[in-house]
Amino acid sequence: MAAAPLADLHRRAPSFPEAHLLQQDFFALAPDTPYDLLVEQTFFCALKPELRPAYARQAAQLLRPGGTLMGVLFDTTFSQPGPPFGGSREEYHEYFAPYFDFVHFETATNSLPPRSGRELFICLRKK
């Protein structure tokens, strides 16, 4: 749980509320105050695949009813062991379907050229 990204965000956006910058274990966060939105960007792909069902469950627990999980997931496999770990939309659907309705779950249209066609943009609404 690196402090440097939080410090960088605080430096670049000093008016962002510090109370919203959490340096904690995602899986240990309590859903005391549910979130409206979780943005996924490179956390999911860094997790060992066996933790992915727990990620989907925890994301749902942290969101208020109707809350949104959105972001980008790799829709590819990698020849080297991860992280990052790849995956497929079929695999992801299994993790998220018990907790979320799929608003958008398609190939990303604005990926960086090296990732073009290999990323999935997701927008999921908590059931």
Side-chain angles (χ1 to χ4, degrees):
M1 292 172 276
L6 295 178
D8 183 54
L9 177 62
H10 183 65
R11 180 187 56 75
R12 290 184 294 117
S15 63
F16 191 86
E18 275 195 66
H20 293 190
L21 299 175
L22 307 176
Q23 185 179 350
Q24 298 178 23
D25 179 348
F26 172 79
F27 295 103
L29 287 172
D32 299 336
T33 306
Y35 295 92
D36 295 320
L37 173 68
L38 295 176
V39 178
E40 167 56 46
Q41 181 66 34
T42 69
F43 177 51
F44 186 84
C45 72
L47 294 173
K48 292 182 179 180
E50 57 266 21
L51 291 174
R52 290 175 171 183
Y55 171 97
R57 185 174 47 254
Q58 177 68 347
Q61 289 175 345
L62 292 173
L63 287 166
R64 67 169 175 76
T68 300
L69 170 63
M70 59 84 59
V72 178
L73 306 176
F74 281 117
D75 188 18
T76 189
T77 55
F78 296 104
S79 57
Q80 301 295 323
F85 297 98
S88 69
R89 64 182 70 211
E90 293 81 16
E91 171 192 350
Y92 303 152
H93 194 274
E94 287 184 32
Y95 301 144
F96 295 111
Y99 313 104
F100 294 93
D101 292 320
F102 291 68
V103 176
H104 194 85
F105 195 70
E106 300 296 330
T107 301
T109 59
N110 58 351
S111 299
L112 296 172
R115 297 179 180 176
S116 183
R118 300 179 347 147
E119 291 182 313
L120 189 64
F121 174 71
I122 65 166
C123 182
L124 311 177
R125 186 166 295 123
K126 182 178 173 180
K127 293 182 179 181

